[in-house]
Amino acid sequence: MPEIQAFRGIRYNLSHVGSLSDVIAPPYDVISPELQDALYKKHPCNVVRLILNRIEPGDDEVNNRYSRARRYYKSWLAEGVLMQDADPAIYVYYQEFDLQGVRYVRKGFMARVRLSRYEEGQIFPHEHTLRGPRMDQLMLMTMCKAQLSQVFGMYPDPEGRTQQVLDEAVRDVTPVEAVDHLGITHRMWPVTKPELVTELSSIIGPMPIFIADGHHRYETALEYREQLRDMGYLRPDHPAHYVLMHCVPMEDPGLIVLPTHRLVRGIPPLGADELASRLGDAFTVQTVARSPEAARDVWELVERSPDPATLAFYTQKDDTWSVAEITPAGREKMDELAADHTPEWRRLGVAVLHKLVLDHLLRPSSPPELEYVHLIDEVIERLKSGQYPLAALVRPATVTDIRDVSLQGDRMPPKSTYFYPKLCSGLVINPLE
């Protein structure tokens, strides 16, 4: 069973930095070069200098982005910019945000969670990782000896016990608060009552934890632990046995998974009729609208479809939107093409799009160049540029899909999930020494 532990987190000294809003940042993997520059300018102690330090001219094996991150981290600790809490705490963390006119509050908590390998059946991934990002994060963790950002985990809590426990724990307590560049409000309460760990452990103990976001950070923590073990430094009580994780119940109404639509370049132009011909008997195709602006109405059609594998395509050649519903013949072909995957995987819209449509039915002569966007307004704006011969609207995998695929030991295709909003880096750091 997953084990959680309170810890003495390292946090910004607000009397030194002023507003917490000025020093937080989103996770490293969603920071564009433009946002990186903006965060650098926002405050000299913004956490971006730790989680995504700039590459500078003249960098070498000794002086580089990782060594600079370490120097910032150590100097901020020495100067009192960062301070370690006196007592072990569970860090209750709520995010309040608007999405499509609805106000949400996502409620969870940050703690140390004991690491376990996936095959041990306690922590479950839903996507593959790449060696490059893992090595990047391992270098950073090794240099700083700290986990600078949290993994995002979720677990079943059908009775809603977590929300009751957390709400009670922070009742009448003033949080630390920050607002990020997207206007999302982040509130955190360090709770030092030992009974909170006991209560949360009783809820989480029998349950699996599914990684929602931060697979690279989790696997990096595993590799770091193994490095210390190989070097003989891993004593039984070493903090490297744990990973910093934000834990949220799977039933939380603020657990939002956005779609990740595909904009395709690098393929020959084709019209709606040719697209329908290429899809053949695998799909029933209906032309429904014209112009990029029609994407909103087309997306409503896709969302209303009873089949989660229903797709919408925009063909730039004739400025046309088509809705494609998979047929029994298409299902049969999908089962054949993806026989090495589970039935749960084969039902995913993103799996059907990539395995059946892009890889098999369209089969371009060279791999297409894909760009990913999450909001329909982004789709419309990009399509107006005329740069994309094809676009595909695809429904997101649900939290239930993630659970079902993960429990079968399968992994989803890349860019299957986008949890919104992202967690905030800079609220609390987990020291590993």
Side-chain angles (χ1 to χ4, degrees):
M1 65 175 60
E3 176 192 337
I4 66 172
Q5 184 184 80
F7 67 104
R8 293 175 58 212
I10 292 174
R11 297 191 288 137
Y12 276 105
N13 179 355
L14 298 186
S15 65
H16 198 297
V17 300
S19 172
L20 187 60
S21 301
D22 291 339
V23 292
I24 60 169
Y28 75 97
D29 53 346
V30 297
I31 299 177
S32 65
E34 294 77 17
L35 180 55
Q36 184 187 40
D37 288 342
L39 293 170
Y40 258 76
K41 294 172 182 175
K42 194 165 192 178
H43 196 286
C45 298
N46 189 284
V47 74
V48 73
R49 288 176 169 80
L50 305 184
I51 64 172
L52 190 65
N53 198 277
R54 281 173 173 160
I55 297 175
E56 303 286 359
D59 278 358
D60 55 30
E61 292 183 0
V62 176
N63 297 301
N64 50 54
R65 64 196 307 183
Y66 309 109
S67 62
R68 281 191 295 278
R70 174 183 169 82
R71 284 198 298 272
Y72 278 120
Y73 180 57
K74 295 300 182 183
S75 66
W76 292 352
L77 284 169
E79 296 165 5
V81 175
L82 295 172
M83 298 183 65
Q84 187 167 21
D85 286 338
D87 299 307
I90 296 291
Y91 296 86
V92 179
Y93 175 24
Y94 291 0
Q95 293 169 283
E96 186 171 350
F97 59 100
D98 289 305
L99 184 64
Q100 296 178 336
V102 180
R103 193 73 168 170
Y104 296 94
V105 178
R106 188 167 67 196
K107 300 182 176 183
F109 66 92
M110 290 182 285
R112 283 176 173 167
V113 174
R114 180 173 283 275
L115 288 163
S116 67
R117 293 198 167 277
Y118 298 145
E119 58 267 24
E120 295 174 29
Q122 297 180 14
I123 311 289
F124 291 86
H126 73 268
E127 66 182 29
H128 292 284
T129 59
L130 301 173
R131 179 170 175 78
R134 288 202 314 272
M135 291 301 99
D136 172 74
Q137 290 299 292
L138 184 59
M139 284 289 294
L140 190 58
M141 191 178 296
T142 301
M143 293 294 286
C144 294
K145 292 185 172 55
Q147 291 164 351
L148 303 171
S149 300
Q150 61 278 73
V151 175
F152 189 173
M154 55 186 186
Y155 59 93
D157 180 16
E159 298 177 0
R161 295 170 60 199
T162 301
Q163 180 170 333
Q164 300 173 26
V165 168
L166 296 182
D167 284 347
E168 181 61 31
V170 303
R171 191 184 308 278
D172 302 322
V173 180
T174 302
V176 293
E177 185 172 306
V179 179
D180 67 19
H181 67 294
L182 298 176
I184 297 157
T185 300
H186 305 263
R187 297 188 180 96
M188 187 180 75
W189 298 259
V191 181
T192 58
K193 298 175 182 178
E195 56 266 31
L196 182 59
V197 175
T198 303
E199 290 178 303
L200 293 173
S201 295
S202 70
I203 298 170
I204 293 181
M207 302 298 180
I209 293 180
F210 301 91
I211 298 176
D213 208 355
H215 290 77
H216 287 94
R217 292 187 284 279
Y218 187 83
E219 294 181 17
T220 296
L222 286 171
E223 292 187 48
Y224 183 79
R225 183 186 67 174
E226 295 310 304
Q227 279 192 358
L228 294 186
R229 177 177 284 128
D230 292 344
M231 293 186 292
Y233 296 154
L234 193 67
R235 62 183 187 273
D237 62 342
H238 199 289
H241 285 291
Y242 296 83
V243 66
L244 176 60
M245 185 177 288
H246 179 56
C247 302
V248 175
M250 299 178 76
E251 297 79 11
D252 190 299
L255 198 58
I256 305 296
V257 187
L258 293 182
T260 303
H261 306 302
R262 273 62 173 167
L263 304 174
V264 186
R265 288 196 286 199
I267 66 170
L270 72 167
D273 290 344
E274 185 180 354
L275 173 67
S277 175
R278 299 282 289 276
L279 296 182
D281 66 354
F283 289 87
T284 300
V285 182
Q286 181 181 4
T287 299
V288 294
R290 293 186 181 276
S291 88
E293 288 83 356
R296 295 185 187 90
D297 295 332
V298 174
W299 178 236
E300 288 185 13
L301 293 175
V302 173
E303 287 190 300
R304 289 202 302 264
S305 171
D307 191 336
T310 296
L311 305 168
F313 295 98
Y314 174 79
T315 46
Q316 192 270 332
K317 183 178 179 180
D318 55 4
D319 193 30
T320 297
W321 285 100
S322 303
V323 172
E325 296 182 343
I326 193 167
T327 63
R331 286 290 179 197
E332 184 177 344
K333 192 62 181 180
M334 184 67 184
D335 290 344
E336 176 189 328
L337 294 170
D340 55 336
H341 289 284
T342 60
E344 292 82 2
W345 189 96
R346 297 196 292 267
R347 286 197 295 267
L348 296 172
V350 66
V352 170
L353 172 63
H354 281 267
K355 195 73 174 180
L356 180 58
V357 176
L358 294 179
D359 293 349
H360 178 70
L361 296 175
L362 296 187
R363 202 181 311 171
S365 57
S366 59
E369 179 185 344
L370 300 180
E371 294 184 24
Y372 306 95
V373 295
H374 307 289
L375 302 178
I376 291 297
D377 285 348
E378 294 176 300
V379 173
I380 293 171
E381 190 63 30
R382 298 288 187 91
L383 291 183
K384 286 180 179 178
S385 69
Q387 301 177 40
Y388 306 95
L390 184 70
L393 306 184
V394 56
R395 280 160 61 169
T398 66
V399 170
T400 300
D401 291 330
I402 294 168
R403 180 199 64 195
D404 293 346
V405 171
S406 300
L407 286 175
Q408 295 298 321
D410 214 339
R411 308 282 183 97
M412 291 186 175
K415 306 292 186 183
S416 293
T417 60
Y418 188 91
F419 283 87
Y420 181 87
K422 294 295 184 179
L423 303 179
C424 173
S425 297
L427 294 177
V428 64
I429 292 169
N430 180 30
L432 294 177
E433 59 180 353

